[in-house]
Amino acid sequence: MERDLTDLSAEISAVSMIITGLSNDLDEDCTRLAPKALQSAMFGVSSYLDRIADDLGEISDL
């Protein structure tokens, strides 16, 4: 499947939404994040960044 800049834009937006969503899982003092929420968010960001890197590689080969 051929990737384009629109695909990359969508993936970068998804990373942004994950990071924004982290604020929903902060405790009431906004000082701690539940370990499970942090783990899930870090995995999501890592997965999206890997896909973005792959897509950039695919685009640069065109």
Side-chain angles (χ1 to χ4, degrees):
M1 178 180 196
E2 189 173 306
R3 303 283 183 207
D4 62 17
L5 294 179
T6 302
D7 295 327
L8 290 176
S9 177
E11 291 185 38
I12 291 170
S13 292
V15 171
S16 177
M17 285 187 282
I18 289 171
I19 293 170
T20 300
L22 286 173
S23 65
N24 295 332
D25 289 317
L26 288 171
D27 66 5
E28 60 187 47
D29 295 332
C30 294
T31 58
R32 295 199 57 197
L33 184 64
K36 186 167 179 108
L38 179 59
Q39 181 181 19
S40 295
M42 297 301 278
F43 177 78
V45 169
S46 175
S47 296
Y48 272 111
L49 291 176
D50 288 343
R51 287 175 43 186
I52 291 167
D54 291 344
D55 291 348
L56 285 171
E58 202 175 294
I59 289 171
S60 69
D61 290 339
L62 296 179

